């Protein structure tokens, strides 16, 4: 199910690589497939385009699932240099 969705999203990104909903959906599919490192990369791409804190929060969740010690708040602080 998620693999099929991932394939469709990748086709959309071939047409327009900066289409934020497709980037978000790719990150979500990767997260649901527990491909944490890939999901982190795509949530970061989405955040850089949209500046949506939801993407940063989702990135933090994937980081947590990887067992890294950065929290959601630490990632936000790192991004905003506060």
């Amino acid at each position: 199910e998620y693999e099929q969705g991932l394939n469709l999203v990748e086709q959309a990104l071939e047409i327009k690589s900066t289409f934020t909903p497709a980037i978000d959906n790719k990150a979500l599919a990767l997260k649901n497939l527990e491909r944490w490192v890939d999901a982190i990369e795509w949530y970061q791409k989405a955040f850089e385009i949209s500046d949506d804190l939801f993407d940063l929060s989702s990135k933090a969740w994937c980081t947590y699932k990887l067992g890294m010690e950065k929290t959601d708040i630490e990632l936000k602080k790192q991004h905003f240099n506060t």
Side-chain angles (χ1 to χ4, degrees), residues 36-49:
W36 308 121
V37 173
D38 295 329
I40 289 167
E41 175 187 345
W42 283 93
Y43 277 124
Q44 181 62 36
K45 287 179 184 186
F47 179 73
E48 289 171 3
I49 292 171

Side-chain angles (χ1 to χ4, degrees), residues 60-77:
W61 173 252
C62 293
T63 302
Y64 165 77
K65 293 299 281 186
L66 272 175
M68 296 178 184
E69 295 189 4
K70 289 187 176 181
T71 64
D72 181 33
I73 292 170
E74 289 169 335
L75 284 170
K76 289 176 185 173
K77 284 182 181 179

Side-chain angles (χ1 to χ4, degrees), residues 9-65:
V9 167
E10 287 174 341
Q11 290 175 24
L13 289 170
E14 287 177 15
I15 296 167
K16 185 173 181 184
S17 64
T18 58
F19 186 52
T20 307
I23 294 171
D24 279 331
N25 285 330
K26 180 169 183 170
L28 179 61
L30 291 165
K31 182 176 90 171
N32 288 331
L33 290 167
E34 297 184 5
R35 291 175 46 188
W36 308 121
V37 173
D38 295 329
I40 289 167
E41 175 187 345
W42 283 93
Y43 277 124
Q44 181 62 36
K45 287 179 184 186
F47 179 73
E48 289 171 3
I49 292 171
S50 69
D51 208 31
D52 185 344
L53 290 180
F54 176 78
D55 294 316
L56 196 60
S57 177
S58 295
K59 177 183 170 183
W61 173 252
C62 293
T63 302
Y64 165 77
K65 293 299 281 186

